[in-house]
Amino acid sequence: MEEIRALKGTKDIFGDEMRKWLDIEDIIRNLCDDFGFNQIRTPIFEFTKLFKRGVGETTDIVNKEMYSFIDKGDNDITLKPESTAPVVRAYLEHAMHAETQPIKLYYISPTFRYEKPQAGRQRQFHQFGIEMFGSESPTADAEVIAIGQTLLKRLGIKNVELHINSLGGPECRKRYNETLKTFLRSKEEHLCELCKERMDKNPLRVLDCKNEKCQQELQGAPTILDTLGESCKAHFEKVQELLTAMNIAYSVDSSIVRGLDYYTKTVFEFISNDIGAQGTVCGGGRYDKLVEEIGGKPTPAVGFGAGMERLLLVREAENKDAVSPTYRDIFIGYRGETAMVEAFKMVNHLRQAGISAESDHLQRSIKAQMKYANKISAKFSAIIGESELEEKSVQVKNMATGEAITVSFDQLADSVKKMLSETL
Ligand code: ATP
Ligand code: MG
């Protein structure tokens, strides 16, 4: 029969790899607790129009990367290519705007984009993201950036740079679009087809073109920072003052425009030098117009999305032994049928007491059972045979030192706990 394989650009996560994921997810949960963000889980699919409206018709994501389909009820549906628009939809649908602001949310979610698979780029990948609604204060921008910085620090990732920029509000943007269009028109014949197309509709998108030739032509393009109005300028300066006060290193980089249409004012990226071209591990910014765009009252908001796969890649590159290997507290072996029942009774009892215990499911010889105990890195082991059954006690061996003590069956859980605390 023909072998069935996973789809291109998707991955199974299991074994050691899975443990690395769980470890990062734990770190993220603790991090979000410390910063006061609550988790939200939105569905894996949404009406396509949410993303068209939210992410923007002229973005790469909406233009060519969406997994869209018509379901049996004739609904136009899309697997989420990002989670900000869904979180905004949920914010409105559940009237979170009527609660005390700010609303601080985070998610860890599968994300789907039809892209060319390569290192750090998949078709199903995962994003950790945070969103803060209801504050236009630069303190919100700084807090969001601080979460990103703290996450990288807790993951032991050092070789990253924070680049920040401001895209201004609608007024600055309008002014800038005109200046930029004039510049782009002077370069028109050298730009790719897509850039030519976008030049008039959404000139900012041209700056984000992945084509190297275009990027060369774009050197010397006017920067938006020169066109910022007074209040946007003051906001950006305050963000920088806060970052400096928080001891967060950054550089202002006018080439950061982000791939999504909804950003206003502050945008930022954390870029790693360890994983080649796909170096952006975390990107975000302020999106004060999005809630309105999706149908709510004007609501300021700021957030970021971080690629979990890329975080794992960077962590691996810098910090190979970040996750410690698995182990069991104790292995209980047995000799014979009666002892087998006692062993599984004992293992179950130990597990109820919160001790990670294991026995043998393959009817191995005693020698092979001990080999297995080593293989699963058991800290202690005990073998039950006829005499142990008779005396209702067993020798518990410290696998590292070889030392053994005799413990009665009914004292086993307490003794193992005591020995575990002593070997710490
Ligand atoms: P890129 O420029 O690399 O395509 P992007 O601007 O499309 O990134 P965002 O939409 O901001 O990225 O997504 C946030 C983060 O999600 C990225 O910084 C990256 O870490 C991760 N990411 C984006 N697309 C993919 C993908 N196809 N596979 C794995 N991770 C991805
Ligand atoms: Mg992309």
Side-chain angles (χ1 to χ4, degrees):
M1 242 198 309
E2 189 201 347
E3 192 182 358
I4 301 173
R5 292 178 156 264
L7 285 161
K8 208 162 117 181
T10 69
K11 270 191 184 153
D12 299 311
I13 306 166
F14 61 97
D16 286 349
E17 178 75 8
M18 187 70 238
R19 298 187 37 255
K20 291 176 192 163
W21 278 79
L22 292 173
D23 189 62
I24 291 205
E25 287 172 13
D26 272 351
I27 291 171
I28 289 174
R29 270 195 291 274
N30 287 326
L31 174 82
C32 290
D33 278 350
D34 292 347
F35 278 84
F37 281 72
N38 297 310
Q39 191 174 118
I40 180 167
R41 299 187 190 187
T42 65
I44 219 91
F45 47 41
E46 298 273 355
F47 286 114
T48 300
K49 58 178 177 252
L50 173 67
F51 300 112
K52 284 198 173 157
R53 226 193 275 167
V55 181
E57 303 258 14
T58 55
T59 58
D60 275 352
I61 294 181
V62 170
N63 265 315
K64 34 181 204 194
E65 297 175 355
M66 293 214 294
Y67 275 95
S68 301
F69 60 98
I70 306 294
D71 76 359
K72 292 192 170 93
D74 251 349
N75 300 301
D76 190 348
I77 280 171
T78 295
L79 302 183
K80 55 171 143 171
E82 59 96 57
S83 293
T84 300
V87 171
V88 171
R89 184 206 37 76
Y91 175 82
L92 293 172
E93 191 162 335
H94 306 291
M96 289 185 231
H97 56 276
E99 295 168 23
T100 308
Q101 305 295 301
I103 297 286
K104 297 164 65 168
L105 301 170
Y106 80 97
Y107 58 82
I108 300 176
S109 171
T111 309
F112 304 86
R113 293 185 194 172
Y114 195 82
E115 298 199 72
K116 191 159 168 262
Q118 50 193 289
R121 198 175 286 289
Q122 292 169 210
R123 289 181 172 171
Q124 174 172 344
F125 62 103
H126 300 76
Q127 279 186 346
F128 156 51
I130 65 155
E131 320 287 0
M132 189 192 311
F133 297 97
S135 166
E136 57 185 358
S137 164
T139 53
D141 310 45
E143 182 167 302
V144 164
I145 293 173
I147 300 183
Q149 188 249 5
T150 310
L151 173 65
L152 296 167
K153 203 155 120 191
R154 290 190 185 178
L155 293 177
I157 297 171
K158 293 196 186 77
N159 201 2
V160 281
E161 283 167 20
L162 168 63
H163 293 229
I164 64 171
N165 189 22
S166 173
L167 300 180
E171 292 304 314
C172 323
R173 194 77 151 262
K174 216 188 269 163
R175 273 200 304 274
Y176 179 58
N177 278 351
E178 288 318 311
T179 332
L180 185 57
K181 267 187 218 168
T182 313
F183 172 83
L184 293 175
R185 270 192 212 107
S186 74
K187 302 274 178 184
E188 185 163 3
E189 51 192 311
H190 307 290
L191 297 175
C192 74
E193 284 311 309
L194 192 61
C195 282
K196 279 182 200 156
E197 212 177 286
R198 286 173 169 175
M199 212 169 84
D200 286 311
K201 269 193 286 181
N202 194 347
L204 204 60
R205 275 285 69 75
V206 175
L207 297 183
D208 201 33
C209 180
K210 298 276 188 298
N211 190 319
E212 226 164 89
K213 200 165 156 279
C214 291
Q215 280 305 329
Q216 259 163 25
E217 292 298 328
L218 293 171
Q219 305 224 333
T223 87
I224 190 151
L225 291 175
D226 299 330
T227 356
L228 287 188
E230 279 311 310
S231 72
C232 288
K233 209 165 159 186
H235 182 99
F236 194 43
E237 274 161 12
K238 207 43 139 188
V239 171
Q240 294 180 58
E241 187 187 332
L242 284 157
L243 292 178
T244 305
M246 291 174 177
N247 209 8
I248 299 173
Y250 65 89
S251 58
V252 174
D253 175 354
S254 61
S255 75
I256 302 288
V257 294
R258 312 285 307 123
L260 304 102
D261 276 350
Y262 49 58
Y263 288 109
T264 51
K265 292 187 182 164
T266 316
V267 287
F268 62 90
E269 291 186 1
F270 286 93
I271 304 173
S272 160
N273 299 310
D274 288 327
I275 53 170
Q278 265 59 257
T280 302
V281 289
C282 171
R286 184 166 272 289
Y287 50 93
D288 290 346
K289 292 283 145 206
L290 182 60
V291 177
E292 229 174 317
E293 200 84 24
I294 291 180
K297 283 206 280 278
T299 307
V302 52
F304 70 64
M308 293 287 285
E309 281 80 1
R310 289 190 203 172
L311 286 173
L312 278 143
L313 273 175
V314 181
R315 191 185 199 197
E316 191 78 4
E318 288 197 28
N319 197 358
K320 273 214 167 339
D321 305 317
V323 181
S324 51
T326 53
Y327 64 87
R328 300 290 195 293
D329 292 329
I330 187 164
F331 174 81
I332 309 279
Y334 57 86
R335 188 186 284 121
E337 290 271 319
T338 320
M340 177 181 81
V341 174
E342 184 61 38
F344 276 92
K345 178 181 139 191
M346 209 173 259
V347 158
N348 197 51
H349 176 71
L350 292 170
R351 288 169 176 166
Q352 309 289 319
I355 295 164
S356 70
E358 194 74 75
S359 187
D360 171 51
H361 283 292
L362 295 182
Q363 277 74 46
R364 292 177 169 93
S365 68
I366 291 294
K367 199 173 153 210
Q369 287 187 44
M370 289 317 292
K371 223 170 134 185
Y372 179 62
N374 269 317
K375 164 105 185 146
I376 61 174
S377 302
K379 292 182 179 166
F380 293 93
S381 71
I383 302 281
I384 305 175
E386 255 165 55
S387 57
E388 283 79 11
L389 286 173
E390 227 161 78
E391 279 153 34
K392 298 212 178 309
S393 68
V394 67
Q395 283 219 323
V396 178
K397 186 170 114 184
N398 182 320
M399 296 289 278
T401 64
E403 272 174 85
I405 57 162
T406 303
V407 179
S408 71
F409 283 3
D410 55 0
Q411 289 298 310
L412 192 61
D414 286 343
S415 300
V416 171
K417 274 193 180 161
K418 190 158 164 274
M419 287 188 280
L420 283 167
S421 69
E422 283 163 2
T423 56
L424 273 182

